[in-house]
Amino acid sequence: MTITRRAALAAPVVALAAPAFAQSFPTRPITMIVPFAAGGPTDTVARLISAEMGRELGGTVVVENVAGAGGTLGAQRVATARPDGYTVLCHHIGMGVIPSMYRRLAYDAVNGFETVGLVTEVPMTIVGRRNLEANTLQELIALIRQRREGLNLANAGIGAASHLCGMMFQAALNVPMTTVPYRGTGPAMNDLVAGTVDLMCDQTTNTTEQIRAGTIRAFAVTTNERVASLPNLPTAAQAGMPGFEVSVWHGLYTPRGTPEAIVNRLSSSLQAALRVPALVQRFADLGTAPVPAERATPAYHRRFWQADIARWRPVIQAAQAFAD
Ligand code: ASP
């Protein structure tokens, strides 16, 4: 099973022409909402792009963490904010699964947003506390089978990427595990390093530095090719789990009804941010890369997101993987 999304959807590059009010935008700080705790992978991506977007816009983009309920609280904050371009959501693949997984939400998870553009697609890694009695993925699988429900798996709540990857992992092994939900994988990582949880599946943007420092143990990367920043880490397929492929797309959103010219201005600043060499280098250090400019557009992002919602709906219904 794969949750990688690589459909080749053609998209026009955003026209930069905008009415006068968009040219004066922004006149005050923009808030970028991260729907998970500080220090985690979504937060890392948001902080990197917000700094560059702020520079490009000639203003400030401030990151605010509104964590909880698998990312739905932060999404709700943005969906119900004034549609003036001053509240932006940075969210990931959860935007594709939440509309099907959560049957009761206090916001419209399908039509409640304008899309600004995709940002990046990030590989995941299967990692564990450093004193686990397993050095390879096969040894880990044997340990899990031997302990049955004795090992636990951290995640960032239902609908988070870590939850999806964890579900896939348990399904592939056909072993249910105890899951430990956090408000984000930033705090979950602290507990993994401390050894108070056993395992996690999380983005390279959160795990790379810990893996390199040896504070956690890495078993596999979940893309079909190794990541250059972790050259010694096998892919899940190389380590004996063929077809276990997960990567996590991220995008920016504003509330529905945000003027098109403002959305286009935000999008052009995103596209400029994604070209900044220091950002490209930092993304590479963390195992990822910016999307090409033609994907960092409102139109491409909307088609991609809506296709992802449609793709997940039958999968979630078949698995009865509902949050409520
Ligand atoms: N990326 C994490 C997840 O979805 C959440 C986070 O950014 O903290 O599991």
Side-chain angles (χ1 to χ4, degrees), residues 34-44 70 91-94 124 154-157 159-164 182-188 200-203 205-206 248 250:
V34 170
F36 297 103
T42 316
D43 185 69
T44 296
H91 206 329
H92 62 26
I93 191 170
M124 298 194 91
N155 68 36
S162 47
H163 170 240
L164 295 174
Y182 289 80
R183 292 164 72 83
T185 48
M200 182 160 72
C201 186
D202 199 25
Q203 287 108 290
T205 34
N206 196 32
V248 182
H250 294 65

Side-chain angles (χ1 to χ4, degrees), residues 102-155:
Y102 284 77
R103 291 179 290 189
R104 279 184 284 278
L105 283 170
Y107 68 98
D108 186 339
V110 178
N111 297 306
F113 301 91
E114 305 296 340
T115 47
V116 174
L118 294 178
V119 177
T120 180
E121 198 173 328
V122 186
M124 298 194 91
T125 46
I126 299 167
V127 293
R129 58 179 162 79
R130 72 178 148 183
N131 54 356
L132 269 180
E133 302 84 352
N135 289 306
T136 64
L137 188 62
Q138 288 307 316
E139 288 174 12
L140 176 65
I141 292 169
L143 186 68
I144 292 169
R145 290 197 193 290
Q146 179 199 327
R147 297 267 191 95
R148 301 300 295 177
E149 291 176 41
L151 293 181
N152 57 40
L153 187 59
N155 68 36

